[in-house]
CSV table of all heavy atoms in Angstrom, one decimal:
chain,number,residue,atom,x,y,z
A,249,GLY,N,-30.6,20.8,8.8
A,249,GLY,CA,-31.8,21.1,9.6
A,249,GLY,C,-31.5,21.2,11.0
A,249,GLY,O,-30.4,20.9,11.5
A,250,THR,N,-32.6,21.5,11.8
A,250,THR,CA,-32.5,21.5,13.2
A,250,THR,C,-32.7,20.1,13.8
A,250,THR,O,-33.2,19.2,13.0
A,250,THR,CB,-33.6,22.4,13.8
A,250,THR,OG1,-34.9,21.8,13.4
A,250,THR,CG2,-33.5,23.8,13.2
A,251,PRO,N,-32.4,19.9,15.0
A,251,PRO,CA,-32.7,18.5,15.6
A,251,PRO,C,-34.1,18.1,15.4
A,251,PRO,O,-34.4,16.9,15.1
A,251,PRO,CB,-32.3,18.7,17.1
A,251,PRO,CG,-31.3,19.8,17.1
A,251,PRO,CD,-31.7,20.7,16.0
A,252,ALA,N,-35.1,19.0,15.6
A,252,ALA,CA,-36.5,18.6,15.5
A,252,ALA,C,-36.8,18.3,14.0
A,252,ALA,O,-37.6,17.3,13.8
A,252,ALA,CB,-37.4,19.8,15.9
A,253,GLU,N,-36.2,19.0,13.1
A,253,GLU,CA,-36.5,18.7,11.7
A,253,GLU,C,-35.9,17.3,11.3
A,253,GLU,O,-36.5,16.5,10.5
A,253,GLU,CB,-35.9,19.8,10.8
A,253,GLU,CG,-36.6,21.1,10.9
A,253,GLU,CD,-35.9,22.2,10.2
A,253,GLU,OE1,-34.7,22.1,9.9
A,253,GLU,OE2,-36.6,23.2,9.8
A,254,ARG,N,-34.7,17.0,11.9
A,254,ARG,CA,-34.1,15.7,11.6
A,254,ARG,C,-35.0,14.6,12.2
A,254,ARG,O,-35.2,13.5,11.5
A,254,ARG,CB,-32.7,15.6,12.2
A,254,ARG,CG,-31.7,16.5,11.4
A,254,ARG,CD,-30.3,16.2,11.8
A,254,ARG,NE,-29.9,16.5,13.2
A,254,ARG,CZ,-29.4,17.7,13.5
A,254,ARG,NH1,-29.2,18.6,12.6
A,254,ARG,NH2,-29.1,18.0,14.8
A,255,VAL,N,-35.5,14.7,13.4
A,255,VAL,CA,-36.4,13.7,14.0
A,255,VAL,C,-37.6,13.6,13.1
A,255,VAL,O,-38.1,12.5,12.9
A,255,VAL,CB,-36.7,14.1,15.4
A,255,VAL,CG1,-37.8,13.2,16.0
A,255,VAL,CG2,-35.5,14.1,16.3
A,256,ALA,N,-38.2,14.7,12.6
A,256,ALA,CA,-39.4,14.6,11.8
A,256,ALA,C,-39.1,13.9,10.5
A,256,ALA,O,-40.0,13.1,10.0
A,256,ALA,CB,-39.8,16.0,11.5
A,257,ARG,N,-37.9,14.0,9.9
A,257,ARG,CA,-37.6,13.3,8.7
A,257,ARG,C,-37.5,11.8,9.0
A,257,ARG,O,-38.0,11.0,8.2
A,257,ARG,CB,-36.3,13.8,8.1
A,257,ARG,CG,-36.3,15.2,7.5
A,257,ARG,CD,-35.0,15.7,7.2
A,257,ARG,NE,-34.2,14.9,6.3
A,257,ARG,CZ,-32.9,15.1,6.0
A,257,ARG,NH1,-32.2,16.0,6.6
A,257,ARG,NH2,-32.3,14.3,5.1
A,258,ILE,N,-36.9,11.5,10.1
A,258,ILE,CA,-36.8,10.0,10.5
A,258,ILE,C,-38.2,9.4,10.8
A,258,ILE,O,-38.5,8.3,10.3
A,258,ILE,CB,-35.9,9.9,11.7
A,258,ILE,CG1,-34.4,10.3,11.3
A,258,ILE,CG2,-35.9,8.5,12.2
A,258,ILE,CD1,-33.5,10.5,12.5
A,259,GLU,N,-39.0,10.2,11.5
A,259,GLU,CA,-40.4,9.7,11.7
A,259,GLU,C,-41.1,9.6,10.4
A,259,GLU,O,-41.9,8.6,10.3
A,259,GLU,CB,-41.1,10.7,12.7
A,259,GLU,CG,-42.5,10.4,12.9
A,259,GLU,CD,-42.8,9.1,13.5
A,259,GLU,OE1,-41.9,8.6,14.3
A,259,GLU,OE2,-43.9,8.5,13.3
A,260,GLY,N,-40.9,10.5,9.5
A,260,GLY,CA,-41.6,10.4,8.2
A,260,GLY,C,-41.2,9.1,7.4
A,260,GLY,O,-42.0,8.5,6.8
A,261,VAL,N,-39.9,8.7,7.5
A,261,VAL,CA,-39.5,7.4,6.9
A,261,VAL,C,-40.2,6.3,7.5
A,261,VAL,O,-40.7,5.3,6.8
A,261,VAL,CB,-38.0,7.3,7.0
A,261,VAL,CG1,-37.5,5.9,6.5
A,261,VAL,CG2,-37.3,8.4,6.2
A,262,ARG,N,-40.3,6.3,8.9
A,262,ARG,CA,-41.0,5.2,9.5
A,262,ARG,C,-42.4,5.1,9.1
A,262,ARG,O,-42.9,4.0,8.8
A,262,ARG,CB,-41.0,5.4,11.1
A,262,ARG,CG,-41.6,4.3,11.9
A,262,ARG,CD,-42.2,4.8,13.2
A,262,ARG,NE,-43.2,5.8,13.0
A,262,ARG,CZ,-44.4,5.6,12.6
A,262,ARG,NH1,-44.9,4.4,12.3
A,262,ARG,NH2,-45.3,6.6,12.4
A,263,ALA,N,-43.1,6.2,9.0
A,263,ALA,CA,-44.5,6.2,8.5
A,263,ALA,C,-44.6,5.7,7.1
A,263,ALA,O,-45.6,5.0,6.7
A,263,ALA,CB,-45.1,7.6,8.7
A,264,GLN,N,-43.7,6.2,6.3
A,264,GLN,CA,-43.7,5.8,4.8
A,264,GLN,C,-43.6,4.3,4.7
A,264,GLN,O,-44.3,3.6,3.9
A,264,GLN,CB,-42.6,6.5,4.1
A,264,GLN,CG,-42.5,6.1,2.6
A,264,GLN,CD,-41.3,6.8,1.9
A,264,GLN,OE1,-40.5,7.3,2.6
A,264,GLN,NE2,-41.2,6.6,0.6
A,265,VAL,N,-42.7,3.7,5.4
A,265,VAL,CA,-42.5,2.2,5.3
A,265,VAL,C,-43.7,1.5,5.8
A,265,VAL,O,-44.2,0.5,5.1
A,265,VAL,CB,-41.3,1.8,6.2
A,265,VAL,CG1,-41.2,0.3,6.3
A,265,VAL,CG2,-40.0,2.4,5.6
A,266,ALA,N,-44.4,1.9,6.8
A,266,ALA,CA,-45.5,1.3,7.4
A,266,ALA,C,-46.7,1.4,6.4
A,266,ALA,O,-47.6,0.5,6.4
A,266,ALA,CB,-45.9,1.9,8.7
A,267,ALA,N,-46.7,2.4,5.6
A,267,ALA,CA,-47.9,2.7,4.7
A,267,ALA,C,-47.7,2.1,3.3
A,267,ALA,O,-48.7,2.1,2.5
A,267,ALA,CB,-48.1,4.2,4.6
A,268,ARG,N,-46.6,1.5,3.0
A,268,ARG,CA,-46.3,1.0,1.7
A,268,ARG,C,-46.1,-0.5,1.7
A,268,ARG,O,-45.0,-1.0,2.0
A,268,ARG,CB,-45.1,1.7,1.1
A,268,ARG,CG,-44.8,1.3,-0.4
A,268,ARG,CD,-43.6,2.0,-0.9
A,268,ARG,NE,-43.8,3.5,-0.9
A,268,ARG,CZ,-42.9,4.3,-1.4
A,268,ARG,NH1,-41.7,3.8,-1.8
A,268,ARG,NH2,-43.1,5.6,-1.4
A,269,PRO,N,-47.1,-1.3,1.3
A,269,PRO,CA,-46.9,-2.8,1.1
A,269,PRO,C,-45.8,-3.1,0.1
A,269,PRO,O,-45.6,-2.4,-0.9
A,269,PRO,CB,-48.3,-3.3,0.7
A,269,PRO,CG,-49.2,-2.2,1.0
A,269,PRO,CD,-48.5,-0.9,0.9
A,270,ILE,N,-45.1,-4.1,0.4
A,270,ILE,CA,-43.9,-4.5,-0.4
A,270,ILE,C,-44.3,-5.8,-1.2
A,270,ILE,O,-44.6,-6.8,-0.6
A,270,ILE,CB,-42.7,-4.7,0.4
A,270,ILE,CG1,-42.3,-3.4,1.1
A,270,ILE,CG2,-41.5,-5.2,-0.5
A,270,ILE,CD1,-41.2,-3.6,2.1
A,271,PRO,N,-44.3,-5.7,-2.6
A,271,PRO,CA,-44.5,-6.9,-3.4
A,271,PRO,C,-43.3,-7.8,-3.3
A,271,PRO,O,-42.2,-7.4,-3.6
A,271,PRO,CB,-44.8,-6.3,-4.8
A,271,PRO,CG,-44.1,-5.0,-4.8
A,271,PRO,CD,-44.1,-4.5,-3.4
A,272,ALA,N,-43.5,-9.1,-3.0
A,272,ALA,CA,-42.4,-10.0,-2.9
A,272,ALA,C,-42.9,-11.4,-3.1
A,272,ALA,O,-43.8,-11.9,-2.4
A,272,ALA,CB,-41.7,-9.9,-1.6
A,273,ASP,N,-42.4,-12.1,-4.2
A,273,ASP,CA,-42.8,-13.5,-4.4
A,273,ASP,C,-44.3,-13.7,-4.4
A,273,ASP,O,-44.8,-14.7,-3.9
A,273,ASP,CB,-42.2,-14.4,-3.4
A,273,ASP,CG,-40.7,-14.5,-3.5
A,273,ASP,OD1,-40.1,-14.1,-4.6
A,273,ASP,OD2,-40.0,-15.0,-2.6
A,274,GLY,N,-45.0,-12.8,-5.1
A,274,GLY,CA,-46.5,-13.0,-5.2
A,274,GLY,C,-47.3,-12.6,-4.0
A,274,GLY,O,-48.5,-12.7,-4.0
A,275,HIS,N,-46.6,-12.0,-3.0
A,275,HIS,CA,-47.3,-11.5,-1.8
A,275,HIS,C,-47.2,-10.0,-1.7
A,275,HIS,O,-46.2,-9.4,-2.2
A,275,HIS,CB,-46.6,-12.2,-0.6
A,275,HIS,CG,-46.6,-13.7,-0.6
A,275,HIS,ND1,-47.8,-14.4,-0.3
A,275,HIS,CD2,-45.6,-14.6,-0.8
A,275,HIS,CE1,-47.4,-15.7,-0.4
A,275,HIS,NE2,-46.2,-15.8,-0.7
Side-chain angles (χ1 to χ4, degrees):
T250 64
E253 289 172 341
R254 290 194 290 268
V255 172
R257 289 168 62 189
I258 294 168
E259 174 61 29
V261 172
R262 181 209 60 77
Q264 179 186 7
V265 171
R268 182 180 298 180
I270 298 172
D273 290 345
H275 303 283

